[in-house]
Amino acid sequence: MNMESIVGWKGAVFGTTAAALLGYLVYFDYKRQTDPEFRKSIRRDRRRAIKLERERERKSNPIATITVQEAMALVAKDPPHATTSEGLHDYCLQNLSNGENYIKAGPEKYVDATVAFYKAISTYPNPSELIPVLQSVAPRPVMDLLLQMLKSPAPRGSAVRTAT
């Protein structure tokens, strides 16, 4: 085979492919402009894709599905048992450590991390010192829920002090 026949063969393949693609695009555009059912099906498919994407995002981010009241109920389940300042200090450090471990475990443990950080802040003598430290460690969804929890009243029956 000489060079001219190879170039001619490749040119023919490229030309045929380009013509088929252009024909498909013209057909699709014509169908889109003239057929109302086709337009409806395109809109329906687009809405379905958006809905599936939102559902997938919601499932991948469990912190977005929990309310502040539900998170506060989790706090109330395990109040601190210590009454001395040393015991509360140990409780605070333990919850800080737990929160960091939960964050390392991934997004599915962000709610547990938020609860642990709330317990730590609530028992810390000066919470305003601890919040900037947590902002550098915790991901944004955790901090957003944590700040919402700090603005809400402490759960009933809880020995946890509020940080506000």
Side-chain angles (χ1 to χ4, degrees), residues 41-88:
S41 70
I42 289 175
R43 262 186 251 126
R44 196 174 333 129
D45 291 345
R46 191 176 297 140
R47 279 190 229 120
R48 189 176 302 137
I50 290 170
K51 187 176 180 180
L52 285 172
E53 180 63 30
R54 285 182 186 156
E55 184 69 24
R56 193 177 306 121
E57 182 179 314
R58 187 183 65 78
K59 285 182 180 179
S60 70
N61 187 6
I63 203 161
T65 61
I66 191 167
T67 65
V68 174
Q69 290 79 20
E70 291 170 338
M72 294 302 276
L74 292 172
V75 170
K77 284 183 181 178
D78 183 31
H81 302 291
T83 54
T84 64
S85 62
E86 186 176 308
L88 288 175

Side-chain angles (χ1 to χ4, degrees), residues 132-155:
V133 173
L134 290 177
Q135 285 178 331
S136 66
V137 173
R140 181 152 184 113
V142 172
M143 283 308 299
D144 290 344
L145 181 60
L146 181 62
L147 293 174
Q148 289 175 2
M149 289 172 68
L150 290 171
K151 290 177 185 175
S152 71

